[in-house]
Amino acid sequence: MTAPKTQDGHCPASGLRLDTGPVDAAMGLRGMTLTLTDCGERPYKVNGYPAVLDVLDEGGAPITGVRGVTGTDKVPMAPADPGPKPFTLHPGQSARAALYWRMAAEDGVYLRLAPQKGQRAVTLKLTDTLDIGPENILGTTAWEPAP
């Protein structure tokens, strides 16, 4: 199996670029920042959560059983989710959300996600691997304007 095609650093036709930050690990709880940047020329309305579709291994195969959920209540010890609040990103502005999971045995090298459910997904090569495993849950907080 070959590695999947990933989003490059350029602004995609959608005008929205997704990025991930490094993994913060403590006591088995893992966290990562997701960033959504309006790199286009028009405002973008945000109200909700990133849609995590898949975690892929080094060869690009999905790690079976991993599922993304909205909110953090299904991930033990994860911080509370503030909940969605509508706002608008203007060109050059960014929003952030957090992704939480519990440590497990497999390494996810790629993450497939979309800005919101029903939107076009991208595949991102992660700076740090997602040490997750089968039947594990990825909980996300709602998007919030970045400072």
Side-chain angles (χ1 to χ4, degrees), residues 28-94:
L29 176 67
R30 305 296 194 246
M32 174 186 292
T33 300
L34 304 175
T35 304
L36 175 66
T37 301
D38 183 343
C39 58
E41 297 179 4
R42 58 189 163 96
Y44 176 73
K45 293 186 184 301
V46 180
N47 185 13
Y49 295 83
V52 177
L53 305 175
D54 286 303
V55 176
L56 311 173
D57 66 18
E58 188 173 7
I63 297 176
T64 58
V66 174
R67 64 188 177 100
V69 297
T70 57
T72 57
D73 59 330
K74 298 203 182 321
V75 181
M77 297 174 57
D81 169 33
K85 294 181 182 96
F87 62 95
T88 301
L89 281 181
H90 295 280
Q93 292 182 327
S94 296

